[in-house]
Amino acid sequence: FVNKLQYLARIDRARALTAQTAETDAIRFLVGTQSLKFDNQIHIIDFDDENNVINKSVLLHDAGEIWHISGSPADKAVLTTCYSKTSESRVLTCAAVWRMPPEWESGSHESPDDSSNNPQTLELLCHLDNTAHGSVACVLWEPMGDGKRVISLAENHMLLWDLQESSTKATISSSATLEGKGQLKFTAGKWSPHHNNTQLATANDTAIRGWDLRSMSQIYCIENAHGQLVRDLDFNPNKQYYLASCGDDCKVKFWDVRHINEPVKCLEEHSHWVWSVRYNHSHDQLLLTGSSDSRVILSNMVSISSEPFGHLVDDDELSDNEESQQEDKGKEPLQDSIIATYEEHEDSVYAVEWSAADPWLFASLSYDGRLVINRVPRALKYRILL
């Protein structure tokens, strides 16, 4: 079996990628295109890992070129996009909630053969627009939620929306504004899966801020988290205070938000801007990053993971001699390492995502519209599991 599988998407340009979060049986990713010449599309990428086949379906997204895409955690058919549109000679990035046609909802369908030639259109459920708040950078679903709460980050505004009537109506339930000198603007955000979903982290310029969504107030601020713009954030799924960030200083940093003066760890493996950072949902030592150096790097950050000493071995399995060696070994956290560097892309890698259905599988997307699907090397998988 090959460790690497590659899929070259036949699309113009793309930078928006998400796993279909609510689909936990089939391996499925959604890609949003950025074309100025043609109608933009959502490409639904289904990977059949038994037969190593990738199937693609296409849905029309007439609204404009897609900058961000995100799937509902509760409903496979529902997603949000942030897209550009020109209004009164100004280009604005708007956001909306959409529904796929019923036959596309599940990853198990045989995609209609003519979907590329004769694509169906997404159904608009509602706009998350309040043009008074300016362009939307991203929309974040409440993690593990019922698909009824989203946050949009627009310019210097953070808006918490309630989706009602099967997501056909959106109302702002609370909001916060980034205060300070100059034109402050959110670039990225992540809704924490911990603390009963009451916390959010945002990036603006070189700073990372934490927010309490109950009071919509700031709880921490890492002023110069990176030397240049912060591009992306992700929370460790198993350690509630740990956060990863990446940016234009080519670095990936790990933070304990209780002690924000210094990062816990810093990776300097990329040679250009780092656009995307993602923790594995199950095994938090596994971390993916994608960069404008056209590379995807899979790191094993075991020393700051929830299992820094690896798995404990049963005493019965060890002879006396092995037991003393094991004790010595057990005191030192395991070593962090770069597991693999993937060089199948020839353009900036704007997004990396783990599959929601298979913890050992991930996708990366570069601007030239190439989507690559890879697996964690089998030897490492068994080392983690056994």
Side-chain angles (χ1 to χ4, degrees):
F1 174 76
V2 284
N3 248 343
K4 294 187 176 175
L5 304 144
Q6 197 168 328
Y7 170 68
L8 188 58
R10 306 275 184 273
I11 48 187
D12 194 41
R13 298 187 303 181
R15 67 164 72 215
L17 168 71
T18 183
Q20 190 181 24
T21 323
E23 174 59 88
T24 51
D25 297 328
I27 296 162
R28 173 176 262 202
F29 296 96
L30 308 175
V31 176
T33 67
Q34 283 203 322
S35 170
L36 293 169
K37 293 180 284 197
F38 309 106
D39 283 335
N40 281 284
Q41 302 167 334
I42 303 277
H43 289 242
I44 304 171
I45 310 299
D46 286 312
F47 176 56
D48 169 358
D49 61 338
E50 280 181 22
N51 302 307
N52 279 344
V53 178
I54 289 177
N55 296 308
K56 180 181 78 168
S57 320
V58 176
L59 290 170
L60 280 182
H61 182 279
D62 297 332
E65 48 178 329
I66 302 167
W67 291 86
H68 187 267
I69 182 171
S70 190
S72 160
D75 187 334
K76 294 180 211 181
V78 174
L79 59 130
T80 55
T81 61
C82 301
Y83 58 90
S84 323
K85 78 166 191 195
T86 310
S87 100
E88 296 161 16
S89 73
R90 252 183 6 128
V91 177
L92 264 184
T93 308
C94 305
V97 186
W98 309 87
R99 178 176 282 284
M100 296 181 195
E103 60 270 34
W104 267 267
E105 277 177 38
S106 171
S108 56
H109 77 280
E110 287 295 312
S111 66
D113 291 332
D114 67 343
S115 84
S116 302
N117 306 328
N118 189 13
Q120 281 183 259
T121 302
L122 288 162
E123 177 196 349
L124 174 68
L125 294 178
C126 65
H127 289 285
L128 296 175
D129 282 355
N130 192 321
T131 36
H133 293 116
S135 282
V136 184
C138 60
V139 174
L140 313 167
W141 291 88
E142 180 176 23
M144 285 92 73
D146 55 7
K148 296 206 167 97
R149 292 209 307 165
V150 294
I151 287 171
S152 64
L153 300 178
E155 303 288 344
N156 61 333
H157 301 284
M158 182 167 89
L159 309 170
L160 180 56
W161 301 80
D162 285 331
L163 299 179
Q164 293 131 347
E165 297 165 35
S166 308
S167 302
T168 56
K169 186 171 165 231
T171 52
I172 297 175
S173 63
S174 52
S175 63
T177 304
L178 202 48
E179 307 283 353
K181 293 192 197 84
Q183 280 194 308
L184 298 178
K185 198 168 134 181
F186 289 117
T187 50
K190 205 73 185 189
W191 197 326
S192 169
H194 309 294
H195 313 289
N196 292 329
N197 297 343
T198 58
Q199 290 188 17
L200 177 82
T202 61
N204 69 288
D205 199 29
T206 60
I208 297 170
R209 294 164 203 272
W211 303 82
D212 186 323
L213 297 173
R214 294 163 297 191
S215 57
M216 293 307 263
S217 57
Q218 192 173 295
I219 43 182
Y220 57 84
C221 178
I222 310 170
E223 283 288 354
N224 291 301
H226 285 263
Q228 294 174 28
L229 187 72
V230 181
R231 291 279 176 189
D232 199 18
L233 305 166
D234 201 19
F235 281 98
N236 183 314
N238 300 330
K239 293 181 80 170
Q240 60 183 350
Y241 298 107
Y242 274 63
L243 175 71
S245 63
C246 62
D248 286 2
D249 57 1
C250 313
K251 294 176 183 168
V252 181
K253 295 188 180 184
F254 300 86
W255 306 91
D256 177 339
V257 299
R258 297 165 299 184
H259 312 289
I260 57 176
N261 295 335
E262 286 290 322
V264 181
K265 205 97 185 172
C266 181
L267 278 180
E268 300 185 35
E269 297 294 330
H270 285 289
S271 57
H272 208 281
W273 306 341
V274 188
W275 284 88
S276 187
V277 59
R278 288 289 178 273
Y279 274 106
N280 184 289
H281 311 304
S282 311
H283 307 287
D284 59 284
Q285 66 261 56
L286 299 178
L287 187 98
L288 283 173
T289 51
S291 161
S292 292
D293 63 12
S294 307
R295 295 184 305 156
V296 174
I297 295 180
L298 174 62
S299 305
N300 188 10
M301 301 306 295
V302 67
S303 74
I304 51 172
S305 74
S306 53
E307 292 181 347
F309 300 99
H311 289 280
L312 297 176
V313 183
D314 282 349
D315 294 340
D316 314 347
E317 294 173 21
L318 300 169
S319 67
D320 293 344
N321 178 29
E322 279 180 295
E323 194 162 326
S324 59
Q325 286 177 349
Q326 190 69 26
E327 276 170 14
D328 295 341
K329 241 168 63 183
K331 290 176 190 139
E332 282 293 311
L334 298 170
Q335 289 294 302
D336 298 336
S337 60
I338 300 303
I339 298 159
T341 300
Y342 300 91
E343 304 203 354
E344 295 97 335
H345 292 285
E346 293 166 16
D347 206 339
S348 290
V349 179
Y350 281 137
V352 289
E353 289 288 350
W354 292 97
S355 160
D358 180 342
W360 308 105
L361 201 118
F362 57 91
S364 51
L365 176 71
S366 49
Y367 192 48
D368 54 7
R370 178 178 299 192
L371 182 87
V372 179
I373 292 181
N374 276 304
R375 282 182 191 285
V376 173
R378 188 178 278 181
L380 177 72
K381 170 180 169 178
Y382 291 127
R383 201 157 75 231
I384 290 170
L385 287 177
L386 298 177

